[in-house]
Structures are given as structure tokens and as C-alpha cells.
Amino acid sequence: FISVLTALLMLFVFRFTSNQEGIKRVKNKIKAHLLELRLFKDSISLSFKAQGNILRYNLRYISYSTKPMLVMIIPLILILIQLNFWFGYEALTPGQKTILKVKLEEGYNPLDIDIALEPSSGFDIQTPPLRIEEEKEINWRLQARKKGVHDLTFIVNAQRLTKKLAIAQRRLSKISPLKIKRNFINELINPGESPIPGDMPIKAIEVQYQAKDMHLFGWNIPWLAVYFSLSIILGFVLKGIFKVEI
């Protein structure tokens, strides 16, 4: 369904931002010179001339396609960011272990930060905080216990901070592995959770989830490959209906 909507978006953008007449003309030229190759395959000079013309018109075709591709790239990136929350990660299962990472800002030493992770009925804290000075990280090993979306609650220099932990969710669920520092670019790329306040020494909090693949015909295929393949195929299927030259 999302691939259908993406295909329609791409066709709409392509139709109204590209030189449709130019694309049609160039495609016809390429077809004509391909036919010329077959008809005059015994003539080396004519074959080389036809190949040169095919290359020239292919470059012109690419130039006609550049503008719509540049227009499409921004909405496509925003769509991919959102889709990755739904299709990119597997929720933890009860009994499964994972690593929780807290990454500090430059200038802060993990050995000097007063930080604690509050216990919860949803998970077990299996290790005390491991402070890695070289990486500016503080890590815990957690074990999932109870189904649900639980709060990982930190006390950092007397301030409270929370991060979501997903356990045994539905197959199609929104899962955000990262909580990042307040910053426009950071929030645009990782909008899954509210950002970390700017006055805190923490740059990011990460829960390690397993990547999720799609199961098709006995194969495990990355969701991104399925999404792009379907979007492109549907775009070519629907282009005739909407009279779009691609």
C-alpha cells in the first residue's frame, strides 16, 4: 500500500517537474538508433555512429531526469525515516538480552557522571554501569521480562530522563532504537522520541534491537529492497494510466 502511494507521488512529481516532450523525443531517438544498430550491424562506421548517438541521447535523457529526482529525494528521505521505525527493527522478546548505551557529549568523562538506571518490572538490569572512558559511553546489559513498551528511567546529575523499551510488540509496531540530543538535524533524522534536553551531558541513548527482514517465498529480504522494488514496478505499471513519460 505504501509502495502504491510512493509510486503515485513519484509519477506526480515526474510529470510536473520534467520535460515530458523532451523525454518522449529522446526515447524515440534512442529506439531509432538501436534499430539502426541492428539494421547496419555489418557496417562498422555506421555502428559506431549509432552507438555514439545512443550515448549522447542517453546523457540528454539523464539530464531531463535530474530535476524530478532532486525534487523527489527530500520527500523520499522523510518517508524512509518513518518507515524504518515500523519495518526496520524487531522488538525484544521476554528473556532476550540487549545492550543499552548512553553516549556522552564531548568534554564529559563517563567516570565523573552521576548516572543511575531505575529498576522496572518490565526488564532486569543484569550488570552495573560499564563506563568506557575512551568511547565516552556508559553501558548496561538488560534482559526483557514483560510484554509492553516500558520506560528506561535515568537519574543524571539529579535530573530525570526516559527512553522507551519495546518488548513483544505486534509484528507491525513502531520501534525507535535511538533517543538523541535536541538539534534540528538530529530530530529530523531520528524523530521517534522526544529529544534529550540541550542542557544535559548525554548526546544519545541507544537500545540495540535486531534488524527485521521481510519473509517472502522462503527468503529473508531487507524491507528497503522490497519497498523500492515494489515502488519502481508499480510506477512503471501506472505510468500509462496517468500518461507520464519516464
Side-chain angles (χ1 to χ4, degrees), residues 14-219:
F14 214 93
R15 180 174 182 179
F16 292 103
T17 62
S18 66
N19 184 342
Q20 288 285 287
E21 285 301 319
I23 289 174
K24 186 176 181 179
R25 187 167 56 250
V26 165
K27 286 171 66 177
N28 287 334
K29 291 285 187 181
I30 293 171
K31 290 175 185 176
H33 288 298
L34 285 170
L35 183 59
E36 185 181 2
L37 269 178
R38 295 186 63 183
L39 290 174
F40 301 103
K41 60 184 178 181
D42 294 330
S43 172
I44 295 176
S45 60
L46 289 176
S47 293
F48 274 119
K49 184 179 178 182
Q51 289 174 17
N53 285 326
I54 290 170
L55 176 60
R56 179 162 60 92
Y57 284 114
N58 266 302
L59 291 174
R60 188 172 298 178
Y61 174 78
I62 291 171
S63 71
Y64 285 145
S65 304
T66 300
K67 182 179 177 181
M69 294 303 293
L70 291 175
V71 173
M72 276 191 283
I73 194 168
I74 295 175
L76 278 177
I77 288 173
L78 296 177
I79 291 169
L80 290 175
I81 288 170
Q82 291 297 327
L83 289 180
N84 196 46
F85 292 129
W86 294 93
F87 296 99
Y89 305 99
E90 293 275 9
L92 300 176
T93 56
Q96 185 178 356
K97 297 175 183 179
T98 189
I99 300 297
L100 168 65
K101 295 184 177 184
V102 172
K103 300 181 181 182
L104 301 180
E105 291 278 15
E106 290 294 328
Y108 290 93
N109 191 324
L111 303 178
D112 300 330
I113 297 293
D114 182 13
I115 186 170
L117 175 62
E118 290 189 346
S120 167
S121 60
F123 57 87
D124 290 325
I125 304 171
Q126 293 202 312
T127 62
L130 173 63
R131 300 170 186 261
I132 309 173
E133 192 171 2
E134 295 80 6
E135 301 293 332
K136 298 189 180 299
E137 282 185 7
I138 303 172
N139 297 346
W140 290 262
R141 186 170 69 229
L142 307 180
Q143 184 174 33
R145 287 181 59 189
K146 190 166 65 175
K147 176 180 178 180
V149 178
H150 305 281
D151 280 340
L152 297 163
T153 303
F154 301 87
I155 309 297
V156 186
N157 295 337
Q159 291 181 276
R160 296 175 69 85
L161 181 64
T162 61
K163 163 83 180 77
K164 300 298 182 184
L165 178 70
I167 301 174
Q169 296 299 289
R170 295 174 301 170
R171 180 68 181 163
L172 186 58
S173 299
K174 186 176 182 179
I175 298 174
S176 173
L178 273 176
K179 185 183 180 80
I180 43 78
K181 195 69 172 277
R182 187 182 300 279
N183 173 285
F184 175 74
I185 299 299
N186 286 345
E187 293 176 61
L188 187 66
I189 297 173
N190 293 287
E193 295 191 39
S194 59
I196 300 168
D199 60 347
M200 298 196 76
I202 295 175
K203 179 166 65 175
I205 303 172
E206 179 184 3
V207 176
Q208 292 188 336
Y209 294 102
Q210 287 186 351
K212 178 166 62 177
D213 290 331
M214 302 190 77
H215 307 289
L216 294 174
F217 310 112
W219 295 334

